[in-house]
């Protein structure tokens, strides 16, 4: 599960968590500009390759990356698939995880009897997943590719899922929905978690400053970090709730549910912009549950 960070946050707020990537890529500023699919994918691939070690150092334990069986945590609010069963019974099912990172979710699904496959555009993230699998536990095939052009035949999977993978980071998320619909079999499920669109209007700050709206909800201009030459090094795209529903429907899928997890009383952990303070007031995650007729 990647570490999304929206809006107009000052770069310094992310320096400690992403210092290696910022240094390697020469990130020096923030911009709000349109970015096409090719540039967005190039930036995301480079970013997650450079940030993989820092990301796992910060979040690996919470996500169960090094657990022998993997874990399937949907979001920073800590929803575990083993408790909520958003994918239903996966035993004997062909399951694709889109934007799998180091694939703890896909590995956990394999441990539940699924024939799981993980896909990600970052080779460094996939390498981290392969290292975890060599230590034991369920093994899954890992595919190095982007989400806008899935390298699978039509009707290959019974279920597709994504826990903050790919969808917020692609320029053409409508294309992702269409591709997922293409590779799903009739009756198949597509369940994906993204940062809740309402978060776009607030600064990326887990404290009191992050409670004051500062950006228009309807401004879809991406959040872009750039190097000294203005080349994107990190890109995140915003869609409203309505945008997401229209993309799903246009792909020929049905919306079954939109889950907005509440912040659990037991969780006192901050994750980037996610915090108990903000989580008690407005949602941080939206999980869309869809079905192919």
């Amino acid at each position: 599960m990647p570490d999304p960070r929206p809006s107009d946050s000052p770069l310094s707020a992310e320096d400690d968590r992403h210092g290696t990537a910022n240094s390697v890529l020469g990130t020096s500023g923030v911009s709000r500009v349109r970015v096409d699919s090719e540039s967005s994918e190039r930036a995301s691939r480079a970013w997650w390759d450079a940030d993989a070690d820092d990301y796992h150092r910060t979040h690996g334990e919470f996500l169960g990356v090094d657990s022998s069986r993997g874990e399937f945590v949907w979001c920073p609010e800590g929803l575990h698939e083993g408790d909520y069963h958003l994918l239903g019974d996966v035993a004997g099912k062909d399951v694709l995880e889109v934007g799998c990172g180091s694939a703890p979710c896909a590995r956990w699904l394999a441990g539940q009897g699924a024939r799981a496959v993980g896909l990600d555009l970052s080779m460094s993230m996939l390498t981290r997943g392969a290292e975890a699998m060599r230590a034991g536990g369920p093994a899954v095939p890992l595919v190095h590719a982007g989400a806008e052009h899935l390298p699978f035949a039509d009707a290959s999977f019974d279920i597709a899922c994504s826990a903050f993978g790919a969808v917020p980071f692609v320029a053409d998320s409508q294309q992702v929905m269409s591709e997922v619909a293409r590779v799903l079999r009739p009756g198949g499920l597509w369940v994906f978690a993204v940062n809740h669109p309402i978060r776009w209007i607030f600064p990326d700050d887990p404290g009191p400053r992050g409670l004051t709206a500062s950006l228009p909800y309807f401004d879809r201009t991406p959040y872009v970090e750039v190097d000294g030459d203005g080349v994107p090094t990190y890109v995140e795209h915003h869609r409203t709730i309505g945008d997401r529903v229209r993309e799903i429907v246009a792909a020929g899928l049905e919306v079954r549910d939109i889950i907005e997890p509440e912040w659990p009383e037991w969780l006192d952990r901050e994750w980037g912009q996610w915090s108990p303070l903000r989580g008690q007031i407005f949602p941080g995650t939206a999980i869309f549950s869809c079905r192919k007729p």
Side-chain angles (χ1 to χ4, degrees):
M1 180 171 58
D3 191 7
R5 43 182 215 246
S7 71
D8 61 346
S9 310
L11 191 60
S12 59
E14 294 296 329
D15 283 348
D16 291 341
R17 293 194 294 274
H18 306 287
T20 300
N22 287 333
S23 176
V24 168
L25 300 176
T27 303
S28 61
V30 174
S31 181
R32 296 293 301 278
V33 294
R34 298 293 178 186
V35 180
D36 63 21
S37 289
E38 182 178 356
S39 298
S40 187
E41 182 171 308
R42 185 186 305 115
S44 289
R45 180 182 292 109
W47 173 265
W48 294 110
D49 280 346
D51 192 53
D53 287 345
D54 284 351
Y55 175 81
H56 284 95
R57 189 161 37 250
T58 304
H59 304 301
E61 182 177 359
F62 182 76
L63 297 176
V65 170
D66 293 322
S67 166
S68 61
R69 64 173 188 170
E71 298 293 349
F72 197 137
V73 180
W74 277 106
C75 53
E77 291 86 353
L79 270 72
H80 196 290
E81 175 62 17
D83 297 322
Y84 289 87
H85 308 290
L86 301 184
L87 303 180
D89 183 3
V90 300
K93 303 288 182 64
D94 294 305
V95 184
L96 171 64
E97 184 184 4
V98 180
C100 67
S102 53
C105 299
R107 289 187 281 122
W108 184 87
L109 289 168
Q112 307 304 305
R115 294 184 293 272
V117 176
L119 174 142
D120 202 275
L121 56 71
S122 168
M123 184 57 73
S124 292
M125 296 293 277
L126 294 175
T127 298
R128 186 66 171 75
E131 291 172 354
M133 286 189 282
R134 282 195 290 271
V140 300
L142 300 176
V143 178
H144 185 215
E148 289 176 274
H149 302 284
L150 299 176
F152 305 106
D154 296 357
S156 295
F157 296 96
D158 302 298
I159 299 169
C161 60
S162 185
F164 280 84
V167 178
F169 307 103
V170 299
D172 191 352
S173 49
Q174 172 66 76
Q175 175 70 11
V176 175
M177 302 301 155
S178 297
E179 278 289 274
V180 169
R182 179 183 65 78
V183 303
L184 280 178
R185 296 172 182 138
L189 298 181
W190 166 226
V191 184
F192 65 95
V194 294
N195 42 324
H196 197 291
I198 197 65
R199 284 291 174 104
W200 189 256
I201 71 177
F202 296 99
D204 182 10
D205 189 321
R209 179 177 173 270
L211 301 179
T212 303
S214 60
L215 284 175
Y217 177 73
F218 298 105
D219 183 358
R220 279 85 163 179
T221 308
Y223 169 86
V224 185
E225 292 175 7
V226 297
D227 65 15
D229 296 321
V231 176
T233 60
Y234 176 95
V235 181
E236 186 173 338
H237 299 268
H238 169 58
R239 299 291 183 270
T240 68
I241 286 281
D243 291 339
R244 293 285 181 223
V245 170
R246 284 184 288 274
E247 289 178 346
I248 292 164
V249 173
L253 302 169
E254 300 172 344
V255 179
R256 301 169 69 241
D257 197 3
I258 301 174
I259 300 101
E260 299 167 296
E262 296 185 37
W263 193 270
E265 293 183 3
W266 57 267
L267 185 59
D268 60 1
R269 181 184 191 274
E270 290 186 359
W271 177 316
Q273 59 160 308
W274 281 263
S275 67
L277 173 65
R278 284 156 61 95
Q280 294 294 331
I281 299 173
F282 49 81
T285 298
I287 305 175
F288 293 80
S289 178
C290 318
R291 178 183 178 274
K292 181 175 180 177

